[in-house]
Amino acid sequence: MHKRRDFLITFTILCLAMCACSGFQYLGSTFYGLVWHRIHGLGSGGARLLSGLFDSPWTGVLVQYIFSIGVPFLLVVPMTCFVRSDRRPAHTLPAEVWMSALFMCLGLGYIFNFLGVFLDVFFSIFTGVPATDMNPVMDALDELTPGMVIYTCLIAPFMEEFIFRGVLLKKARRFGDRTAVVFCAVMFGLMHGNLNQCLYAVVIGLILGYVAVRTNRIFYNVLLHMAVNSFSMMLVLVENGLNVLGMSAMAAAFSVGSFIMILLLIAAGIYFFFRDGRRYWWQMGRQNGWPTPYRKYVYLNPGFILYVIIFGIEMISYIL
């Protein structure tokens, strides 16, 4: 049985590493700005080539995220190397289980997305801040580039699964499957830094966590995460494309069709949750180790408290 100090040391280190990652993200963004100004201040041929990479709609966002997200995420690996990982043989995932997880991710994700929108509107009544300004995703959708689509649909899912289900979950799993899955889902949700994304990211993170502990690998998680992000992106791209082509009536019809599709996905998500989700939760509970009074230190530790403060301040800044 794990002792109090085992919980405290492990989860404090994991949470502090993610706090440091947040700091490195701000440093990376600042360094990116300095490099951008430096390159654009030079007039040589090499500088012009680099400025093209920084400014291209295909690579500009990707270069920026290398500085602000890619490198900081990778630094989590050496910062947590002192914590032992739980390594188990990899398993395959039946197609029907993957599809069930996909429908739950989409359906339940939309439910909590709508809840987040409702809360944003509710807070906007008292703060005067437009609800759309409380969710940074709206700004990103207003400035869609090929690079942003590639990042959202391919790179972000891999990086996030690598860190949260590949690194953090494996290091937390020796304290129990359900403990590790819930911990990583909460960390994943808070990392988004705004109320709307936090709510549905926690729910989706629970489902992705189950897939990770069932297969002992992140391959299926990455595919699942890519599918979820790509579906939402596809709806936006098609509607925007119809509007750009001047087909406003067809765009309106597609918008109505998308809403109906989302309602059907919500119904499917609820169905699969009651059919499979509760059983998955029970299965993780069976692998959660012996009951212990020290499990509360997963969250009652200096690292997690600091993590909540950092991202709580970011969430409040969007609301106010």
Side-chain angles (χ1 to χ4, degrees):
M1 182 180 294
H2 296 290
K3 300 179 180 179
R4 174 176 175 269
R5 65 187 297 270
D6 296 328
F7 281 91
L8 272 174
I9 292 174
T10 297
F11 289 98
T12 297
I13 291 175
L14 296 181
C15 293
L16 287 179
M18 293 306 297
C19 291
C21 177
S22 174
F24 286 133
Q25 285 180 296
Y26 285 106
L27 289 176
S29 296
T30 301
F31 186 63
Y32 167 81
L34 294 174
V35 173
W36 188 93
H37 285 291
R38 176 62 176 169
I39 289 175
H40 285 75
L42 299 175
S44 64
R48 283 195 296 270
L49 176 62
L50 289 175
S51 66
L53 290 175
F54 275 66
D55 297 337
S56 169
W58 288 91
T59 59
V61 169
L62 303 180
V63 172
Q64 179 182 354
Y65 285 161
I66 288 174
F67 285 86
S68 61
I69 296 178
V71 173
F73 268 32
L74 291 177
L75 288 175
V76 173
V77 176
M79 286 190 289
T80 59
C81 65
F82 302 102
V83 180
R84 178 167 57 88
S85 294
D86 186 295
R87 302 187 182 279
R88 308 184 190 187
H91 300 292
T92 57
L93 187 71
E96 60 269 23
V97 176
W98 190 89
M99 289 302 299
S100 171
L102 176 62
F103 281 116
M104 282 193 286
C105 281
L106 290 170
L108 300 182
Y110 276 117
I111 290 175
F112 283 87
N113 186 12
F114 289 150
L115 175 61
V117 171
F118 172 79
L119 291 175
D120 286 345
V121 172
F122 175 78
F123 286 124
S124 71
I125 296 173
F126 300 97
T127 63
V129 178
T132 53
D133 291 349
M134 297 182 186
N135 187 353
V137 172
M138 303 307 296
D139 294 332
L141 293 179
D142 289 338
E143 300 179 1
L144 275 181
T145 62
M148 176 63 76
V149 173
I150 293 171
Y151 173 78
T152 302
C153 298
L154 300 178
I155 298 176
F158 172 77
M159 291 299 299
E160 291 173 356
E161 291 309 307
F162 172 72
I163 290 299
F164 288 95
R165 260 66 62 174
V167 176
L168 296 187
L169 190 143
K170 285 184 179 180
K171 294 182 181 295
R173 193 177 177 186
R174 62 193 177 98
F175 298 95
D177 283 2
R178 186 185 289 176
T179 297
V181 167
V182 175
F183 167 72
C184 291
V186 172
M187 295 288 285
F188 178 59
L190 289 171
M191 181 272 299
H192 287 80
N194 65 88
L195 183 61
N196 185 294
Q197 285 184 284
C198 178
L199 291 176
Y200 66 75
V202 170
V203 175
I204 293 174
L206 291 172
I207 301 166
L208 292 169
Y210 169 75
V211 173
V213 298
R214 174 159 178 166
T215 62
N216 301 323
R217 59 202 296 198
I218 64 169
F219 172 73
Y220 297 101
N221 290 66
V222 172
L223 294 180
L224 194 58
H225 202 148
M226 286 180 177
V228 171
N229 285 17
S230 298
F231 176 80
S232 300
M233 182 62 71
M234 178 197 68
L235 296 183
V236 174
L237 289 175
V238 172
E239 185 171 350
N240 287 354
L242 292 173
N243 283 318
V244 169
L245 294 173
M247 305 168 70
S248 56
M250 189 170 291
F254 180 81
S255 180
V256 173
S258 297
F259 183 71
I260 295 173
M261 186 186 303
I262 289 172
L263 292 180
L264 292 174
L265 285 172
I266 289 174
I270 294 173
Y271 167 77
F272 282 106
F273 170 75
F274 283 101
R275 196 194 78 168
D276 301 327
R278 294 183 298 173
R279 174 164 48 87
Y280 297 161
W281 181 256
W282 177 76
Q283 289 173 351
M284 289 191 294
R286 290 183 60 193
Q287 303 297 324
N288 208 42
W290 294 100
T292 170
Y294 303 133
R295 209 174 298 279
K296 60 185 178 183
Y297 293 109
V298 171
Y299 306 103
L300 290 179
N301 65 75
F304 184 77
I305 293 171
L306 179 60
Y307 191 80
V308 170
I309 291 173
I310 291 172
F311 289 99
I313 291 173
E314 187 173 355
M315 287 186 189
I316 293 174
S317 70
Y318 277 111
I319 294 174
L320 300 179

